Every structure is written in C-alpha cells, then in structure tokens.
Amino acid sequence: MSLLRAAGLIAILSLASKGVGLVRDQVVAYYCGLSMITDAYNIASLIPVQFALIMLGGLNGPFHSAIVSTLTRHFKDQEHPIYGRVITTAIVLSVLLMGSVSLALYLFAPQLIALWGDMKPETAHLAILQLRIMAPVFMISGLIGILYGILSIKQSFITPSLSPIMASLGIIVALALFAGPEPESLARSLAWGTLIGAAFQLILQVLPLLGFFRSMHFEIRWNDPQLMSFLHLLLPAVLSSTIGQFNSFIIQFFASGMQEGGISAFIYGNRLIQLPLGILLTALLVPLLPLLSASAQIPDQFKSLKQRLNQGLRPVLLITFPVSILLIFFGYFAIIILFQRGAFNSSDSRLTYEVLVYLSLSIAIYAVRDLFIRAFYALGDSRTPFWTSFVTIAAMVIGSFALAPLMQVQGVALASSLAVLVNFCLLSWLLHRRIGSFLERQTLTHLIKVSVATLPMAFLGWQSLDVLGSLVSYYPWPSLLQAVLHSILLIVMYVLLLFLMEDQEVLVLGRTITRRFKRHA
C-alpha cells in the first residue's frame, strides 16, 4: 500500500506535468504545424534534449537509477562521509564530462546535422542554429539526474515529478512572447525556450536540497569504492541509452528523406504514447526502484525481488492494455481536438494518427520491458540492458529498411514497435535465466482477465471509429463529443468486467478508494 500511495502521488504530479507538456505541444503545433521548423527542432533536440535531458537525466534514467542503486543503503545507515564523497565527486565528474560534450555539440553542430543526409538546406540551417543554442542542456541534464536520485532516496517525489513543467513553460513563453512569423525567429524561440526551461528545471531540484547540501560532507575522492560502484552502474547504462538513442536517429534518418513533416508526425504520435505511458512508468518505477534494489540484497534466492517485480507488473498490465485500445481507436479524435488548429491542418492529423496506431501496438511491451530493465539495475547489472540494445538497433534498422520504402514514416513506426518486441523477448529470457521463473500465478491470472476484458473494448472501439471517423469531417464537434463519451463508456465497461471476474488488483483498488472516501466523509 505504501507503494500504491507513492505511485498515486507521483501519478497526480506527473499528470500535471504531462498536462503542461501537452499545452506546450499544442502551442508548437499552432505556431509551426508539421513543417521544416518542427523537423529542424526535432533533429537538433535529439542529442541535448531527447537523449540527455529526457533519457540520461530524466526520472528512471541512468544518473537517477545509479545514484539510487548505489546510495540507498548508505542513506538508510546514515553513513554521511560515504554518500557525501560519492555525490560530490559525481557532480564534479558530471560537469567536466557532460560540459565537454556540450562544447563539442556547439563546435561541431554542422557536422552532426550533416549526418541526417538528405535534408533541405533551409531545414539544416535551422537545425544547426537550434543545436548550438541548446548545447548547454547536455551538461544541465547530468546534474538534474543526480539530484533526482538524491530526492528519490529521500522519498521526495514532488519536485522531480513537477520539474518537466519548467521545460514546457520555457517553450510556451518563448513562442507566445518572442516568436515572430519568420521561420528563423520561430526556430530561435523554440531553442532558447528549451534551454531556459532546462535551467529552471535544475533550479527547482536544488531548492528542496539546500538544507541537505549545507549539512553534507563535501569531499572529492576519485578512487572511492562506492564511486566505482556508481560508475559501474552508470557507464553501461549511459552506453545502453546511447545505443538505444540510435533508434531515434534511425527513425529521423529514414523519416527525413520522406514527406515534409514526417519527423514531426512521428514525434507528435510518440508524445501521445508517452502521455499515459510516461505517467504510468514514472508513478510506478520511481518508488519501486529503491524497493527492488533493497529486495535484491535479501539472500532468499530472489524471492523478495520476484514479489516486488510482480507487484509492479500487475498494475502495468492493468493500465497499458486499455490505453493501447483507446489510442488505436480514438487517437484520431484526440489529435483533432488537441492539435488541429493554426498551422496544423487535417492532413497533418491524418498522418500523425497513422503513425500513432503503429506505435500503440508496443505500449504494454514497452512498459513491461522498462520494468525488467529496472530489475537488472536492482541486481547491480546494467551491462545486460546495454548489450541487448544492439539487438534492438539491428531489428530497427532491418525493419526500417524493409518497411519504410513501402509504408513511408508509418513503416518506420511499425519497425519501432517490432524492435521493442524483440528487446522485450530477449530481456525477459535473460531475466528468467538470472533469477529463475518469476511470473507468479496471480500475475498470470491477472493477465488473462485483463486480456478478456480488453476484447469487447477493441470490438466496440473499432465500431466507433468506423462510424464517427466518416462523420467527423461533416459534423466535427458532435462527432468529437461522441468519441469522448464512447471512450469513457469503454473504460467503465472494462473496469466493471474486471470486477465481475473478481480481479484482485481492481478489488484492492476499489476497497482502498472506498476506505478513503468513508474516511473523508
């Protein structure tokens, strides 16, 4: 129940953060649509933002996970000199190394952008301009990730969950107040808004830790054993994320040679995927990682670890199955409601939806795969996720080569989902070899019940899309309103079916909500 309470708090905070992020995407879509401006921004932001700020320095990223896995026990035992040395040295090391990469991004921006190959000169010019402005974000991201880890160990989840709001607000304010109608003005505003937002994101993490830093033991020791343990976890995880980021490069490489706006359509489709998925993974994995790490230290043949793993697996399955169905059959209406205004037109909505459908196929697999990766981190093993990334890259390249010529950017989206499936299968097999059979009977029963409850959702969702999809062009708002009502009814039906099948996860959640309601009443 403590995990559920922490997860509930983080989910609420993440929902607020994702809500502001959605407003940011709406503002960008309004001003830029699917155009060379957004294509250039998505290319330029790949390394400093999508890779560094979101993957390396984000919640559940390598810096966050390595700090938690290394220092949880020392915080619990109040070993101040040990965690003081590790944190101090880690911060200095991060500034030196990540700062060097930031400088390289600025100096070699033209050469990096040239890697995308077949790109219009105007798009390349805007991408180089934006990359140079956003280069310092790479250094900022490492510091944010370390602070996330400290706050997570201290069971402080509020500012880490809310901090992405700063990044979104930076872009919103920059576009609304400083962007002119010219492409270069819009591009500059996007880049400067991103940099300023990242800086405020860092400041927001520092504020609740001011007292902690005042009392911390500061010492730099490069040969500290615990620092070596931190680097032992961090470096393979960073390399794994680096290899994994090649997926994004492959996506953009193939999409950049297709229709204008193809890269942006993929990004918008992925954002709609990450809206529910990001909330779910943040809410569950942030409080679960310290528990997994502690369970992995218990000498009981991984029994405690398996229990914690199944404890996280069941709610992931409960939520991701219906979310996938709703996005596949109602995502088109969501795109129209959220983005279709200003420079974002109906053809942009259709292209984004087609990408969204193929990406939605991997939602549940993606979430469970990330849970398995955290299990390896808890075991002190970040090498296995790193090596499996190479297989994912190979699957992505082969899939894109095979599908992109036939299906354009939609084929790239399908290849991405297939690559996630390959990675999931490999990690699950390796985890089984490492700790033995880990799927509990209760989890298997839950999976069957969730699958059964999802089938009527899929059938009725397909019927709704067939009818409302043909009417939305003629009667937009009535059709959109019906789509919203249909999706709500399908969610209610899904929950009721699970109640009728006496699914334990839903019953426990129902009893918890009932007790809370009676207590407040």
Side-chain angles (χ1 to χ4, degrees):
M1 293 309 301
S2 61
L3 175 63
L4 286 176
R5 283 193 292 270
L9 172 63
I10 294 172
I12 293 172
L13 298 174
S14 297
L15 181 61
S17 177
K18 293 290 183 181
V20 178
L22 184 59
V23 174
R24 172 206 63 209
D25 290 340
Q26 290 176 308
V27 171
V28 173
Y30 178 84
Y31 281 97
C32 306
L34 298 186
S35 64
M36 68 175 181
I37 301 168
T38 50
D39 280 353
Y41 176 76
N42 288 318
I43 291 170
S45 65
L46 179 63
I47 297 176
V49 179
Q50 297 175 46
F51 173 54
L53 189 62
I54 296 176
M55 292 188 68
L56 296 187
L59 284 171
N60 297 316
F63 281 90
H64 170 214
S65 299
I67 284 288
V68 171
S69 298
T70 304
L71 297 182
T72 295
R73 179 171 62 84
H74 301 295
F75 267 82
K76 184 178 180 180
D77 296 339
Q78 297 185 350
E79 297 172 338
H80 303 284
I82 294 177
Y83 67 70
R85 288 197 302 267
V86 174
I87 291 173
T88 306
T89 312
I91 288 175
V92 172
L93 192 61
S94 175
V95 170
L96 292 176
L97 295 180
M98 305 286 277
S100 299
V101 176
S102 292
L103 180 61
L105 290 178
Y106 182 87
L107 294 176
F108 300 104
Q111 290 81 1
L112 288 170
I113 298 302
L115 294 175
W116 271 259
D118 187 15
M119 189 191 311
K120 292 181 179 179
E122 298 87 350
T123 306
H125 168 71
L126 295 179
I128 294 168
L129 175 69
Q130 291 174 316
L131 178 56
R132 282 180 162 161
I133 293 172
M134 294 186 291
V137 174
F138 202 97
M139 182 184 70
I140 294 171
S141 65
L143 299 175
I144 291 175
I146 293 172
L147 298 183
Y148 278 168
I150 299 170
L151 289 166
S152 181
I153 295 173
K154 293 170 64 65
Q155 299 291 300
S156 177
F157 304 119
I158 294 178
T159 52
S161 300
L162 289 178
S163 70
I165 289 178
M166 296 293 104
S168 299
L169 288 177
I171 293 174
I172 292 171
V173 172
L175 281 175
L177 298 183
F178 304 111
E182 302 84 8
E184 186 165 321
S185 177
L186 288 166
R188 286 182 181 274
S189 297
L190 274 172
W192 278 109
T194 302
L195 175 59
I196 293 170
F200 277 101
Q201 196 171 342
L202 175 62
I203 293 170
L204 188 62
Q205 308 317 304
V206 172
L207 293 178
L209 290 173
L210 289 175
F212 169 79
F213 283 126
R214 278 196 294 266
S215 62
M216 195 180 78
H217 176 80
F218 289 94
E219 180 185 354
I220 297 176
R221 185 181 297 179
W222 301 109
N223 61 347
D224 186 88
Q226 297 307 316
L227 177 67
M228 295 300 106
S229 178
F230 166 74
L231 294 176
H232 177 77
L233 288 171
L234 175 68
L235 295 179
V238 169
L239 289 173
S240 178
S241 298
T242 303
I243 298 300
Q245 193 66 8
F246 273 102
N247 276 338
S248 297
F249 174 76
I250 292 166
I251 289 163
Q252 295 192 5
F253 178 82
F254 281 96
S256 63
M258 299 173 188
Q259 66 268 47
E260 183 177 299
I263 294 175
S264 300
F266 192 99
I267 297 297
Y268 277 114
N270 192 52
R271 290 270 171 77
L272 285 176
I273 296 291
Q274 293 299 327
L275 181 61
L277 191 58
I279 294 171
L280 170 67
L281 294 180
T282 302
L284 285 175
L285 297 188
V286 170
L288 187 61
L289 180 58
L291 300 178
L292 288 171
S293 300
S295 299
Q297 308 303 318
I298 300 175
D300 59 357
Q301 277 127 25
F302 304 118
K303 181 179 178 181
S304 299
L305 177 63
K306 293 175 186 179
Q307 290 175 343
R308 289 297 189 186
L309 186 60
N310 281 269
Q311 186 182 9
L313 184 57
R314 288 190 289 270
V316 167
L317 297 173
L318 177 69
I319 297 174
T320 54
F321 273 54
V323 165
S324 301
I325 297 300
L326 292 177
L327 284 175
I328 289 172
F329 295 110
F330 295 97
Y332 180 55
F333 308 104
I335 292 167
I336 293 175
I337 293 172
L338 296 174
F339 301 124
Q340 191 171 303
R341 59 183 61 86
F344 199 102
N345 56 37
S346 58
S347 60
D348 293 341
S349 295
R350 174 57 64 179
L351 178 60
T352 304
Y353 171 65
E354 291 172 357
V355 170
L356 174 65
V357 169
Y358 291 111
L359 291 176
S360 299
L361 299 175
S362 64
I363 288 179
I365 299 169
Y366 183 102
V368 177
R369 187 275 311 266
D370 265 27
L371 181 59
F372 289 168
I373 289 175
R374 299 304 174 268
F376 280 108
Y377 286 163
L379 292 165
D381 178 10
S382 56
R383 293 182 179 179
T384 298
F386 168 64
W387 290 115
T388 58
S389 299
F390 286 98
V391 179
T392 309
I393 292 296
M396 186 69 202
V397 172
I398 294 170
S400 297
F401 266 115
L403 298 173
L406 301 174
M407 302 172 60
Q408 299 291 299
V409 71
Q410 297 90 324
V412 179
L414 179 56
S416 177
S417 290
L418 293 174
V420 172
L421 175 61
V422 170
N423 189 229
F424 161 79
C425 292
L426 185 57
L427 282 171
S428 60
W429 176 67
L430 292 171
L431 186 61
H432 183 276
R433 289 190 61 187
R434 180 70 179 272
I435 66 175
S437 179
F438 56 83
L439 193 64
E440 296 177 349
R441 185 188 182 106
Q442 182 182 349
T443 303
L444 182 59
T445 302
H446 175 67
L447 173 61
I448 294 171
K449 291 179 179 179
V450 165
S451 301
V452 171
T454 305
L455 290 176
M457 286 188 69
F459 177 75
L460 295 175
W462 176 74
Q463 295 290 331
S464 295
L465 178 63
D466 186 45
V467 174
L468 298 177
S470 60
L471 295 176
V472 70
S473 300
Y474 304 100
Y475 309 101
W477 286 109
S479 299
L480 294 174
L481 179 60
Q482 287 188 62
V484 172
L485 294 175
H486 286 191
S487 61
I488 293 172
L489 289 174
L490 289 184
I491 295 171
V492 172
M493 181 188 69
Y494 171 74
V495 174
L496 288 177
L497 284 174
L498 289 174
F499 265 114
L500 292 174
M501 289 186 286
E502 298 183 347
D503 179 74
Q504 290 301 309
E505 293 299 306
V506 175
L507 292 176
V508 169
L509 184 60
R511 285 195 292 266
T512 303
I513 294 174
T514 302
R515 282 198 300 268
R516 292 280 180 89
F517 179 78
K518 289 181 178 179
R519 188 182 307 163
H520 291 294

